[in-house]
Amino acid sequence: MKRIACVVVLVAACTSSAGSDLPAQPTVTVPGTAPPPAVLITGRACLVAIDPRALFECAAAGAGGLVVALGSNSTTTLDDGSFSLQTPGGASGMLQISGAGIASSAQAVGAINLVPAISSDLFAQMLADNEISLAPSTGSIIASVTNAEGQPIAGVTATSIPSASSGPFFDGTEPTQFGQSETGNSGIVFFPGLTTLGPTTLGLTDSAGLESTVDGVQVFDGGITYVAAPIP
């Protein structure tokens, strides 16, 4: 605004000294920045009640009334877990799902928002069968390791920075009994008891020595963050 005022003064001075009349200068209006358009995000909370290795085999019903949050916006799920959510902040960030009967879930917003939601009873069985005790102010990560075609990869080892309180654990031959050496046929890695104070980096190595890294994974107190971990 100050620069515009100076321009007007200089023009007036030139007009006076030349003794001529110039037309009045138009007012310059700087348009404001429009708010970002609202984005409709759709998805489904996939209730997993039988086998935690099959993260996308969803129960047909029983996932109603869960709270789905993205930033400050929230909604609730229908009985099959489906939801839609209007957000003015754009289609990015972490979807968080919580409610009775599930271990709280988090997953990055994507083109297809199918978010696993392991039942509380099944998650408790996972912890008991693998002698895992979770401390307060910690969360967990479950990573799905796939190849370029999206198929799960067996024989993958994994690390995390920072380290989990125990494990990592890998899918085995029984639904809730995990191993501690490498992924099985489902390509699942379970990192329990990670700190919530900062992001976690995952390191994955397949049987041929090919490595992949997943950076910036945020965990939430008492919840599970689900991560797609492709190894090209």
Side-chain angles (χ1 to χ4, degrees):
M1 185 62 69
K2 290 183 179 179
R3 293 184 62 187
I4 294 171
C6 292
V7 171
V8 174
V9 171
L10 289 173
V11 170
C14 293
T15 302
S16 175
S17 61
S20 60
D21 295 326
L22 293 177
Q25 300 300 302
T27 302
V28 178
T29 303
V30 179
T33 301
V39 176
L40 180 64
I41 295 173
T42 60
R44 183 182 181 187
C46 178
L47 179 60
V48 180
I50 298 174
D51 191 341
R53 302 168 302 175
L55 294 176
F56 302 106
E57 293 183 6
C58 314
L66 302 176
V67 176
V68 182
L70 179 62
S72 60
N73 292 68
S74 63
T75 188
T76 55
T77 57
L78 300 178
D79 191 45
D80 66 349
S82 60
F83 64 86
S84 59
L85 177 63
Q86 284 275 5
T87 173
S92 63
M94 296 292 290
L95 284 166
Q96 294 180 257
I97 301 179
S98 59
I102 67 163
S104 297
S105 304
Q107 184 173 282
V109 174
I112 300 176
N113 296 297
L114 185 61
V115 185
I118 294 177
S119 75
S120 300
D121 290 342
L122 184 59
F123 188 54
Q125 191 66 51
M126 285 175 60
L127 299 179
D129 287 352
N130 297 285
E131 300 181 351
I132 299 169
S133 179
L134 298 179
S137 300
T138 64
S140 302
I141 293 173
I142 293 181
S144 299
V145 187
T146 60
N147 59 21
E149 288 73 41
Q151 301 301 314
I153 307 175
V156 174
T157 59
T159 59
S160 68
I161 303 174
S163 298
S165 60
S166 58
F169 295 87
F170 304 88
D171 61 289
T173 57
E174 298 296 328
T176 58
Q177 185 66 59
F178 281 44
Q180 290 187 274
S181 57
E182 61 185 23
T183 57
N185 292 331
S186 298
I188 299 296
V189 189
F190 176 35
F191 301 86
L194 292 161
T195 179
T196 61
L197 297 180
T200 295
T201 296
L202 307 181
L204 307 162
T205 306
D206 70 8
S207 57
L210 187 62
E211 298 180 346
S212 181
T213 300
V214 181
D215 293 310
V217 183
Q218 184 61 54
V219 297
F220 301 89
D221 191 6
I224 305 171
T225 301
Y226 295 90
V227 176
I231 298 182

